């Protein structure tokens, strides 16, 4: 019998706010343990939470970006459990009335569009972090109370690769929307992965196995790659899968059982008595709608459509937003946006990363010094104006300079910021299209290479290229190659 996998993801994302969810403590990564704390986020008795309005806004904004409904009323609940990372013994979350629900996310996968339904995106709070030392353990509460969005997908995913692409697409949307920086290294995105298998074509879902707290997308993919055949093997050999929770061991590359699944009633959810239900009014919602940006996929599709870009170029601009923003106004003004894209991607981007690699090497050499100047070179630091790229493309398109001369011009304008026209003039790079001058070079080349001339006349077409090369050399690379070809042919045939 053939089996298929069913996957649903619960993704936790730290919101990009200045302060925490219920208090004024900084929402900042990397501070000394327990320095961004106060009685509220340490769960002292008698304190009251005050909701962070920007976190509420970012939650609703995410809902809009993910095509969700925004219910007229949402509320907060306490999820009770006992564990050292939660000083209050409960986590505030949204249980039965989330701030957003019933949306979807679309992304490209295997050359087609995948649409994964989003069950809900609800607001909760992060908890502290446990550390284990040789003889003791400690808890850092800096993270406790950081606004956390939980984005729950329907079980619409069917493969490890698709789950991986979903996560990347989700991250792109959240970064584009300014909802979260999604810095994986800083633990800003964590994911619970739910996997089940069932006989192909069967309607009912198999027993859900949840792999908890994954912190890298490639880890998620590997865990699913491991988990699917493991589950299939269990059912094929007559075993029974039961709903349970597993842990991913990244070094061993396996999942192992932690516990059979807890149920919602184990948490004794109840409404948070210290917070009012959240009922956004029309004006507030309108302000948030104004913050909705174009989504990454839509941007890619628009770049392909409006500027006739190949998908690969549009993908680059989707992933590198500043580069795309640099490209677009130029493309709008150019007759040849494809050429603009080529220069921006193949030359400008390459030069920038070359320059940044150089400074990275310096950095390794003199660490202390580098700390001060290790700033990466960005588009904002360029010495030339964006219009110079337009000008350069126009010079090539009008055949004023050859493409190889254009490379020289670009290198020079990158170094010095001089305008392309000035560089062409200073370096004498303008193509010679003057037929008189070209004719003289052609005659010289023909006279100097009688063998090639004979070869060509005997049907060896390649000999023409050789002669063409000779003319280009005589002209110091400045002759217009198309004109040279035409003229040589005319002379040799005539
Ligand atoms: P819980 O209440 O235990 O968290 P939910 O039904 O809310 O469980 O689902 C949590 C996540 O698990 C969702 O992302 C959902 O899509 C996914 N899921 C639910 N059932 C299955 C299943 N049988 N196989 C795979 N994923 C599932
Ligand atoms: Mg769950
Ligand atoms: Zn605090």
């Amino acid at each position: 019998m053939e089996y298929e996998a069913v996957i649903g993801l619960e993704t936790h994302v730290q919101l990009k706010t200045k302060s925490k969810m219920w208090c004024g403590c900084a929402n900042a990564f990397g501070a000394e343990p327990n320095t961004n704390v106060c009685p509220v986020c340490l769960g002292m008795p008698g304190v009251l939470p005050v909701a962070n309005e920007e976190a509420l806004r970012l939650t609703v904004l995410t809902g809009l970006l993910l095509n969700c409904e925004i219910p007229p009323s949402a509320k907060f609940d306490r999820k009770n459990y006992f564990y050292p990372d939660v000083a209050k013994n409960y986590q505030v979350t949204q249980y039965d009335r989330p701030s957003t629900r019933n949306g979807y996310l679309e992304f490209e996968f295997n050359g087609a569009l995948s649409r994964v339904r989003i069950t809900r995106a609800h607001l909760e709070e992060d908890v502290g972090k446990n550390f284990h030392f040789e003889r003791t353990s400690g808890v850092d509460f800096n993270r406790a109370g950081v606004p956390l969005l939980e984005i729950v997908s329907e079980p619409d995913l069917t493969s490890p690769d698709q789950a991986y692409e979903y996560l990347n697409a989700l991250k792109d949307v959240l970064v584009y929307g300014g909802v979260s920086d999604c810095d994986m290294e800083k633990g800003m995105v964590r994911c619970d992965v739910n996997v089940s298998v069932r006989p192909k074509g069967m309607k009912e879902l198999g027993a859900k196995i949840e792999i908890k707290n994954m912190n890298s997308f490639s880890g998620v993919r590997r865990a699913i790659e491991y988990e699917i055949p493991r589950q299939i093997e269990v059912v094929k050999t007559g075993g029974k899968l039961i709903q349970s929770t597993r842990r991913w061991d990244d070094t061993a590359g396996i999942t192992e059982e932690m516990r059979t699944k807890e149920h919602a009633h184990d948490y004794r959810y109840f409404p948070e008595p210290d917070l009012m239900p959240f009922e956004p009014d029309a004006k507030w919602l309108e302000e948030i709608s104004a913050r909705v940006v174009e989504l990454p996929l839509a941007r890619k599709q628009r770049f392909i459509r409006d500027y006739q870009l190949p998908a690969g170029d549009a993908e680059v601009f989707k992933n590198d937003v500043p580069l795309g923003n640099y490209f677009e106004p130029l493309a709008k003004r150019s007759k040849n946006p494809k050429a603009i894209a080529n220069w921006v991607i193949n030359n400008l981007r390459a030069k920038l990363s070359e320059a940044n690699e150089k400074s990275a090497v310096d950095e390794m050499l003199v660490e202390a010094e580098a700390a001060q100047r290790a700033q990466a070179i960005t588009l904002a630091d360029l010495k030339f104006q964006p219009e110079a790229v337009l000008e350069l493309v126009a010079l090539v398109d009008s055949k004023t300079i050859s493409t190889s001369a254009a490379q020289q011009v670009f290198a020079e304008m990158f170094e010095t910021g001089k305008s392309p026209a000035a560089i062409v003039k200073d370096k004498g790079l303008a193509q010679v299209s003057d037929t008189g001058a070209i004719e003289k070079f052609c005659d010289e080349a023909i006279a100097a290479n009688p063998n090639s001339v004979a070869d060509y006349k005997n049907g060896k077409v390649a000999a023409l290229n050789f002669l063409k090369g000779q003319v280009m050399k005589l002209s110091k690379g400045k002759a217009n190659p198309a004109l040279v070809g035409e003229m040589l042919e005319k002379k040799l045939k005539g």
Side-chain angles (χ1 to χ4, degrees), residues 10 79 150 192 194 208 210 212 261-262:
E10 296 160 276
K79 178 184 183 180
E150 176 170 340
D192 299 335
N194 302 273
K208 181 184 80 170
E210 180 168 6
K212 274 278 182 209
K261 176 72 183 160
E262 70 277 10

